[in-house]
Amino acid sequence: MMKIRLENENDYLEVEELVRNSFWNIYRPGAFEHLIVHNLRDDESFIADLAYVIEKDEKIIGHINYSMGLIDYGDEKIEAVVLGPVAVEENHQNQGYGSKLIKYTLKKAEDMGIPFVLVIGDENYYQRFGFKSASEYNLWLEGTDIGDECPFFMIKIFDKSSLIKHKGIFHNPDVFDVSAEDAEEFDRKFEFKEKLVLEGQLE
């Protein structure tokens, strides 16, 4: 039996292990994402009402977070919701569970009156949920070249009237910036896993 529900304190360690295993050696040797999830819960940017898990047979197999970043328009700054991290347990990937979590929580976000949601990820994956390149709306991700389209930085709009026409730069919440040293220290809480340098990693 499958169930989607809000995360609670009893889930924290299980969720962190799930996130760690899902991201291990994907973007870098080891992973940072489980530390980000851990730190987010005590951060002012965290949106607790959108932190959901998906259970199957009373075991958590998926998790999703949303948080509040900032768009800098030069003359003003506005808060903006960003999706992620989202993780699905390795043996349940590519079976639609991640899609269920994303669709369910995007509907929750819309019902909460959130005007749009940003995401940084695979454009081929997120297009199926109605995300479009944010550059189409003059929004750019901090650190990317505004002269080029940034296809992996995307937006799903619920209320077009909320968008400002001139150029904006999106900044992730500061809590997303973790050091290798902090990740190494946090990893000591978990069972040892070998860090590997693999082709296709970002760093």
Side-chain angles (χ1 to χ4, degrees):
M1 180 178 173
M2 188 203 78
K3 178 169 69 173
I4 297 176
R5 62 167 176 81
L6 279 169
E7 176 190 65
N8 62 59
E9 286 188 28
N10 296 327
D11 302 324
Y12 287 179
L13 183 57
E14 187 176 355
V15 163
E16 288 164 14
E17 288 178 339
L18 164 71
V19 174
R20 179 178 186 252
N21 292 335
S22 298
F23 284 96
W24 197 259
N25 292 332
I26 300 296
Y27 297 117
R28 61 182 58 82
F32 288 179
E33 285 79 6
H34 55 311
L35 176 55
I36 292 171
V37 166
H38 176 81
N39 290 343
L40 251 180
R41 299 188 187 109
D42 294 321
D43 194 76
E44 63 182 4
S45 68
F46 181 54
I47 305 175
D49 289 340
L50 289 175
Y52 275 84
V53 297
I54 187 166
E55 279 186 334
K56 185 180 180 187
D57 301 326
E58 299 185 354
K59 181 180 183 295
I60 294 174
I61 61 166
H63 174 262
I64 195 166
N65 267 342
Y66 290 75
S67 53
M68 197 72 76
L70 202 67
I71 300 175
D72 186 349
Y73 285 102
D75 55 349
E76 67 175 312
K77 295 178 174 64
I78 67 165
E79 292 184 324
V81 172
V82 60
L83 183 164
V86 56
V88 174
E89 192 266 334
E90 293 165 294
N91 294 327
H92 290 89
Q93 291 176 3
N94 301 311
Q95 297 175 39
Y97 293 109
S99 292
K100 290 180 191 300
L101 258 183
I102 292 168
K103 288 176 181 176
Y104 184 88
T105 53
L106 284 173
K107 182 65 171 67
K108 290 286 183 185
E110 183 178 15
D111 291 345
M112 288 166 63
I114 292 170
F116 57 86
V117 172
L118 299 163
V119 72
I120 301 160
D122 181 353
E123 64 272 22
N124 295 316
Y125 181 73
Y126 282 100
Q127 282 172 359
R128 73 183 72 174
F129 308 109
F131 282 89
K132 297 181 178 180
S133 175
S135 61
E136 291 182 25
Y137 300 91
N138 228 2
L139 290 175
W140 309 89
L141 179 63
E142 178 189 20
T144 60
D145 186 349
I146 63 171
D148 295 328
E149 185 185 4
C150 183
F152 56 85
F153 178 51
M154 291 161 281
I155 187 169
K156 180 176 175 65
I157 301 169
F158 302 121
D159 177 10
K160 282 190 176 180
S161 69
S162 64
L163 291 172
I164 296 173
K165 295 283 194 295
H166 57 279
K167 184 183 70 181
I169 307 296
F170 175 72
H171 300 257
N172 266 319
D174 291 341
V175 72
F176 278 65
D177 295 326
V178 299
S179 68
E181 292 75 21
D182 288 344
E184 187 79 32
E185 178 68 27
F186 185 63
D187 251 353
R188 292 176 185 157
K189 291 176 50 178
F190 301 88
E191 184 179 344
F192 173 79
K193 288 173 73 76
E194 185 179 4
K195 294 180 180 180
L196 299 174
V197 178
L198 301 174
E199 187 177 348
Q201 290 174 341
L202 299 178
E203 53 183 75

